[in-house]
Amino acid sequence: MEKVRRQHYVPRMYLKRFGYGNIDDEYISVLKLDNGTVLDNRKVENFAVANYFYDADKEQIAEILKEDLKVFPELCDNEKLSDEQFPEHALAREESAISKMLNELQEDLSRIHISSNRNLMVIFLHSLAYRTKQFRDQMDAINNKTEKWLNSMCDNLGLDEETKKKIIETNCSTGKNTQLYQILGIKPVLETMQMLQYNYEWYEAVNNTELDFVISDNPAQTVRNGFNDICIPVSSNKAIIFRIKDKVAPLISKDMPENGVINLSLNSVIAYNCMQLAMGQKFLFGTSNTIKYMKKLWEARSASRNKSKDQLKKH
């Protein structure tokens, strides 16, 4: 089997739901978050992608899945675990099933209440929350600081190199290993399932405003961080909203459901889009007019940040 070089950390089948064009020739508009440049009519496959992003050798995969392999020891000899592209192939199989589910929801959002679709949505959101480059970079930064601190501590205690090595190996993990554990392990997705099923009410959300939904290249950080009010767009005009069951918890949107459906106001769509803007690492994706509107908000945010920096310098 030919190796997959370009591996998407935001699935193409999800990205294309926020663009335009026909089913075989999808385009999208992009806001670059480093300088505010807008790119129109861009191919979906050229963004949120990195070469061999999820590739891992057999020993690495075995270490990542050691909890699962203890429960299912018969999997140890599965030849698929010897495939260094096992994570990419697993994600591809997952995406195929989820794409069908998202198509169903685009036709009829009420199908989210079907048990099999809810389960697929949990799997999708868990994967989407942890598979991004932003998450890996964040974990690498934490790991590097932890390793530096442990090295210093061991040196101060006068520990030998072998002891120091064991302490660091026990307490540190690369961002990639942490990420692969999250997206391949059974326990992490079950924890997300428990959180979403027991702590949140699920609502259908419809966007009939003049502004479309957008997503970033880090579209589900609100799931990872357990926000009170989580909006996951299915497409540019439909979404599933998860609201914490605590009735006094603050919410992003003031729109209330009627019979399980939330008809979103323009203010709410802007608020949810701003969450995507805030979470994005490099890019924001959507339709042309909406991306140009979001650029204005990006410029306002940048001006505010620069003003704050200038005020700090004066003090």
Side-chain angles (χ1 to χ4, degrees):
M1 183 183 295
E2 186 176 350
K3 282 189 175 183
V4 180
R5 177 174 67 89
R6 292 165 56 78
Q7 300 176 5
H8 287 77
Y9 49 87
V10 178
R12 283 175 295 173
M13 65 84 184
Y14 188 51
L15 277 176
K16 72 180 184 180
R17 297 171 191 277
F18 302 89
Y20 39 87
N22 59 53
I23 195 167
D24 297 317
D25 199 19
E26 301 93 358
Y27 293 90
I28 203 163
S29 290
V30 182
L31 174 63
K32 295 180 67 178
L33 299 179
D34 58 345
N35 58 16
T37 301
V38 171
L39 309 174
D40 281 322
N41 300 313
R42 300 297 159 142
K43 288 286 190 179
V44 169
E45 58 264 26
N46 292 332
F47 293 91
V49 64
N51 290 342
Y52 306 112
F53 190 65
Y54 300 111
D55 284 14
D57 59 38
K58 182 178 179 180
E59 290 73 22
Q60 191 176 4
I61 292 171
E63 174 63 22
I64 290 162
L65 295 178
K66 61 184 178 183
E67 292 178 355
D68 299 335
L69 294 177
K70 286 180 181 178
V71 180
F72 305 103
E74 66 275 13
L75 296 178
C76 293
D77 297 324
N78 192 314
E79 62 180 16
K80 289 182 179 179
L81 296 184
S82 299
D83 178 7
E84 64 182 9
Q85 295 207 313
F86 170 75
E88 169 67 13
H89 296 154
L91 287 170
R93 290 190 295 271
E94 175 184 294
E95 289 168 18
S96 178
I98 289 166
S99 183
K100 293 177 183 177
M101 180 267 293
L102 293 177
N103 288 341
E104 284 188 26
L105 296 184
Q106 183 60 30
E107 291 294 322
D108 181 0
L109 273 177
S110 68
R111 293 179 182 174
I112 192 60
H113 304 297
I114 298 172
S115 178
S116 59
N117 284 341
R118 288 173 74 96
N119 292 339
L120 280 173
M121 179 59 75
V122 169
I123 293 169
F124 175 52
L125 295 186
H126 177 83
S127 176
L128 200 61
Y130 290 97
R131 65 183 288 178
T132 63
K133 186 176 184 299
Q134 194 272 354
F135 176 71
R136 184 184 294 187
D137 290 348
Q138 183 182 36
M139 292 299 101
D140 272 330
I142 292 171
N143 180 68
N144 291 340
K145 288 180 180 179
T146 303
E147 189 170 334
K148 183 178 180 180
W149 183 84
L150 287 174
N151 265 308
S152 177
M153 182 193 72
C154 290
D155 289 341
N156 290 337
L157 292 173
L159 301 179
D160 60 77
E161 288 300 314
E162 187 62 29
T163 302
K164 186 192 328 186
K165 181 180 178 182
K166 288 180 180 178
I167 290 173
I168 290 173
E169 287 178 349
T170 301
N171 293 280
C172 297
S173 177
T174 66
K176 184 173 184 178
N177 281 3
T178 301
Q179 182 176 62
L180 291 178
Y181 169 72
Q182 286 290 337
I183 63 179
L184 295 178
I186 295 174
K187 182 181 177 182
V189 74
L190 290 177
E191 290 173 346
T192 297
M193 178 173 287
Q194 183 178 40
M195 178 190 75
L196 291 175
Q197 296 284 24
Y198 293 104
N199 296 349
Y200 290 85
E201 300 286 359
W202 296 33
Y203 298 105
E204 306 161 40
V206 180
N207 173 13
N208 287 322
T209 74
E210 60 266 36
L211 205 66
D212 294 325
F213 286 127
V214 298
I215 61 167
S216 71
D217 55 355
N218 180 36
Q221 185 175 325
T222 48
V223 174
R224 192 167 76 238
N225 292 349
F227 276 38
N228 293 340
D229 187 354
I230 300 170
C231 177
I232 301 295
V234 170
S235 66
S236 58
N237 65 353
K238 292 185 178 180
I240 303 298
I241 286 179
F242 304 81
R243 286 185 175 170
I244 201 80
K245 290 181 179 179
D246 182 353
K247 299 301 181 184
V248 299
L251 301 176
I252 293 170
S253 165
K254 295 182 180 180
D255 298 329
M256 292 294 109
E258 294 184 12
N259 299 318
V261 179
I262 302 175
N263 286 291
L264 292 169
S265 64
L266 181 59
N267 283 344
S268 291
V269 174
I270 292 171
Y272 287 129
N273 281 355
C274 283
M275 289 301 302
Q276 290 290 333
L277 178 65
M279 292 185 297
Q281 183 180 32
K282 290 185 176 182
F283 305 113
L284 197 70
F285 306 103
T287 53
S288 181
N289 288 339
T290 301
I291 286 296
K292 287 171 184 174
Y293 179 86
M294 295 306 298
K295 177 181 179 179
K296 295 178 181 179
L297 298 181
W298 178 91
E299 289 170 342
R301 186 183 72 166
S302 298
S304 177
R305 285 179 172 177
N306 291 336
K307 184 178 179 179
S308 297
K309 288 179 181 178
D310 290 340
Q311 289 175 341
L312 285 172
K313 287 179 181 178
K314 289 178 182 180
H315 292 287

